[in-house]
């Protein structure tokens, strides 16, 4: 029992320390994803300590575990209902309620009808798919009659993106901020009741032993999006598979650089990946929004065969409500320099990706 306890305590200490080292290699970045699981394991190990044969240094380890639990808890509690945030009521000067779905469909998932059924069931005003290739585009054609406005970036490298909307699209762009095979989309829309807003869809590559060795392209892509967003004067939503967690250094820089708000604070984690393993599920499909967008509901929907759960959001726009201004944090001069360095490193990084990716 003592050996198990000691092994777990040392492993959890390593998992706590590694993300604090600001190095882009996946070894340092991947442990950030598991902060929720690490915190639960710390609590489990701490309780296990009371059932081990008492050793001379037991209480030193117990104290260390307690410090780590508090350290992680201070971050994670912000993403729960225990963290106080204002609740905003919809006023008569606001837009009508709008709702959308964002879904990483997993390129090799063939359960097209399940996804189409999900869209029909929840009936969003617009939706975005990621990892959608030519087969997915063909499968989603029956939805085009209902969703008459579209913007498509069809790729076979697991980074394709498709956007379908009932709301009028005034302008749509595809950006390739750090690599010519990693798109982000920028869609300008205007609602029937006269409210204009901009939707950004992002899906940068993850740092992992099986994909990109470092987080440089991911971070550069996200911070390039943040710079672009900051210059837009309309209400903005940024959504997608960030392959990142909200508490990472690059996510914090993204939020501060873009002047956007994280709606999960005071709400919940909204964990999406991996869809099939509840205990190993990370919140990596993120969303951020400007101060004049108010979130009514943010949640995951049912699995349709992908490795990600889809995200559902209901919101409204209110230009006359400034109650969210206090939630906006801005980057210091040092943080702006750090963000610029990350962008340049992302552009220089040469990610080795196939043009056409096949399932192993």
């Amino acid at each position: 029992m003592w050996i198990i306890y000691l092994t777990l305590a040392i492993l959890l200490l390593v998992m706590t320390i590694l993300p604090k080292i600001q190095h882009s290699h996946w070894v340092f970045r991947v442990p950030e994803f598991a902060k929720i699981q690490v915190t639960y394991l710390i609590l489990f190990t701490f309780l296990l300590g009371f059932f081990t044969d008492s050793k001379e240094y037991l209480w030193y380890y117990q104290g260390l575990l307690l410090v780590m639990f508090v350290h992680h808890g201070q971050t994670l509690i912000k993403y729960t209902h225990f963290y106080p945030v204002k609740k905003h009521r919809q006023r008569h000067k606001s837009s009508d309620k709008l709702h959308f779905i964002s879904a990483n469909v997993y390129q090799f998932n063939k359960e097209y009808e399940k996804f189409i059924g999900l869209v029909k069931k929840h009936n969003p005003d617009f939706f975005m798919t990621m990892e959608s290739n030519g087969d997915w585009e063909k499968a989603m054609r029956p939805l085009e009659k209902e969703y008459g406005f579209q913007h498509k970036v069809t790729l076979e490298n697991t980074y394709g993106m498709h956007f379908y909307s009932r709301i009028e699209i005034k302008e749509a762009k595809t950006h390739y901020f750090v690599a010519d095979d990693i798109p982000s989309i920028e869609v300008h829309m205007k609602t029937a009741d006269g409210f204009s807003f901009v939707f950004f869809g992002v899906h940068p590559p993850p740092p992992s032993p099986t994909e990109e060795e470092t987080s440089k392209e991911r971070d550069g892509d996200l911070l390039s999006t943040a710079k672009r967003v900051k210059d837009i004067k309309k209400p903005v939503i940024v959504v997608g598979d960030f392959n990142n967690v909200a508490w990472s250094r690059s996510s914090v820089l993204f939020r501060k650089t873009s002047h956007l708000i994280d709606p999960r604070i005071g709400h919940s984690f909204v964990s999406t990946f991996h869809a099939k393993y509840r205990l190993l599920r990370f919140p990596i499909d993120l969303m951020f929004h400007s101060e004049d967008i108010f979130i009514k509901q943010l949640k995951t929907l049912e699995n349709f065969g992908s490795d990600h759960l889809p995200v559902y959001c209901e919101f409204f726009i209110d230009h006359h409500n400034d109650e969210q201004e206090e939630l906006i944090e801005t980057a210091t001069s040092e943080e702006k320099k750090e963000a610029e360095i990350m962008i340049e490193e992302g552009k220089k990084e040469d990610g080795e990706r196939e043009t056409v990716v096949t399932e192993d």
Side-chain angles (χ1 to χ4, degrees):
M1 186 76 79
W2 171 253
I3 297 299
I4 295 172
Y5 171 84
L6 191 60
T7 302
L8 282 172
I10 293 171
L11 177 63
L12 292 166
L13 178 62
V14 171
M15 293 285 283
T16 299
I17 291 174
L18 282 177
K20 295 296 179 186
I21 302 170
Q22 293 306 313
H23 193 286
S24 61
H25 195 277
W26 67 264
V27 168
F28 300 94
R29 301 280 60 88
V30 167
E32 289 176 320
F33 289 49
K35 182 180 279 285
I36 300 169
Q37 289 80 3
V38 165
T39 305
Y40 277 118
L41 272 174
I42 288 171
L43 179 60
F44 169 80
T45 307
F46 179 78
L47 296 175
L48 183 66
F50 293 106
F51 298 95
T52 61
D53 298 330
S54 182
K55 299 288 183 180
E56 184 179 353
Y57 299 108
L58 172 64
W59 292 106
Y60 290 103
Y61 287 106
Q62 289 289 80
L64 179 62
L65 288 166
L66 190 59
V67 168
M68 288 193 292
F69 182 80
V70 171
H71 167 73
H72 290 292
Q74 285 179 327
T75 298
L76 296 182
I77 198 170
K78 294 179 181 179
Y79 301 90
T80 71
H81 290 291
F82 297 111
Y83 193 78
V85 292
K86 288 181 181 178
K87 304 297 181 184
H88 307 285
R89 290 185 298 173
Q90 192 165 0
R91 301 173 179 177
H92 68 280
K93 291 183 178 180
S94 70
S95 71
D96 292 335
K97 283 189 291 187
L98 301 166
H99 51 293
F100 69 84
I101 291 173
S102 170
N104 183 322
V105 297
Y106 182 59
Q107 182 171 301
F108 309 108
N109 174 22
K110 303 300 182 184
E111 298 188 57
Y112 309 119
E113 289 303 319
K114 274 192 176 182
F115 179 73
I116 291 170
L118 181 140
V119 171
K120 289 180 177 179
K121 175 183 175 181
H122 295 281
N123 197 29
D125 295 300
F126 54 93
F127 68 91
M128 177 183 70
T129 60
M130 293 157 284
E131 290 203 29
S132 41
N133 61 356
D135 290 341
W136 270 96
E137 182 179 321
K138 182 179 179 180
M140 291 189 290
R141 281 176 190 162
L143 294 169
E144 292 184 5
K145 186 177 180 180
E146 182 70 22
Y147 295 89
F149 300 94
Q150 300 122 30
H151 183 63
K152 304 173 183 178
V153 187
T154 308
L155 298 171
E156 302 293 332
N157 65 350
T158 73
Y159 291 97
M161 305 179 85
H162 289 71
F163 185 84
Y164 297 80
S165 177
R166 290 197 190 103
I167 301 170
E168 181 182 4
I169 294 177
K170 290 294 187 179
E171 182 184 8
K173 302 176 182 178
T174 303
H175 298 287
Y176 296 90
F177 287 121
V178 298
D180 60 8
D181 59 348
I182 302 294
S184 300
I185 62 171
E186 174 185 338
V187 184
H188 294 246
M189 291 184 280
K190 189 172 185 178
T191 65
D193 53 349
F195 286 81
S196 297
F197 68 100
V198 184
F199 178 94
F200 277 82
V202 299
H203 183 204
S208 79
T210 58
E211 295 194 49
E212 299 306 312
E213 186 175 316
T214 74
S215 64
K216 289 180 180 179
E217 281 189 308
R218 180 198 69 183
D219 297 341
D221 188 74
L222 292 176
L223 288 165
S224 295
T225 301
K227 282 186 65 179
R228 170 65 184 157
V229 165
K230 185 172 65 68
D231 295 331
I232 293 175
K233 304 308 177 186
K234 300 175 187 176
V236 176
I237 296 173
V238 183
V239 179
D241 176 4
F242 277 57
N243 278 311
N244 205 358
V245 284
W247 46 79
S248 75
R249 179 60 180 166
S250 54
S251 280
V252 171
L253 285 175
F254 173 90
R255 178 166 49 80
K256 289 183 175 183
T257 303
S258 63
H259 299 176
L260 297 183
I261 297 165
D262 183 353
R264 295 164 191 248
I265 294 176
H267 178 63
S268 67
F269 297 113
V270 194
S271 298
T272 54
F273 176 87
H274 196 286
K276 295 179 181 177
Y277 310 114
R278 183 178 293 273
L279 295 179
L280 295 175
R281 194 171 290 171
F282 311 133
I284 63 173
D285 291 86
L286 303 183
M287 173 185 174
F288 296 87
H289 62 87
S290 56
E291 65 188 79
D292 38 13
I293 285 178
F294 294 82
I295 307 303
K296 296 282 287 182
Q297 192 175 22
L298 183 65
K299 63 181 183 180
T300 57
L301 298 177
E302 59 269 26
N303 187 12
F304 59 92
S306 174
D307 52 355
H308 288 247
L309 293 175
V311 174
Y312 173 91
C313 178
E314 183 179 303
F315 70 98
F316 63 89
I317 304 167
D318 190 343
H319 298 297
H320 304 280
N321 190 336
D322 58 3
E323 291 180 348
Q324 292 192 131
E325 282 186 0
E326 63 190 46
L327 299 177
I328 295 174
E329 294 183 71
T330 57
T332 64
S333 57
E334 290 77 12
E335 287 172 330
K336 289 177 182 177
K337 290 177 184 177
E338 186 179 352
E340 289 294 340
I341 291 170
M342 285 185 175
I343 290 170
E344 290 306 311
E345 287 182 345
K347 290 177 179 178
K348 292 176 182 176
E349 189 77 358
D350 185 18
E352 297 180 0
R353 287 176 293 273
E354 300 291 336
T355 304
V356 178
V357 177
T358 55
E359 191 171 18
D360 292 334

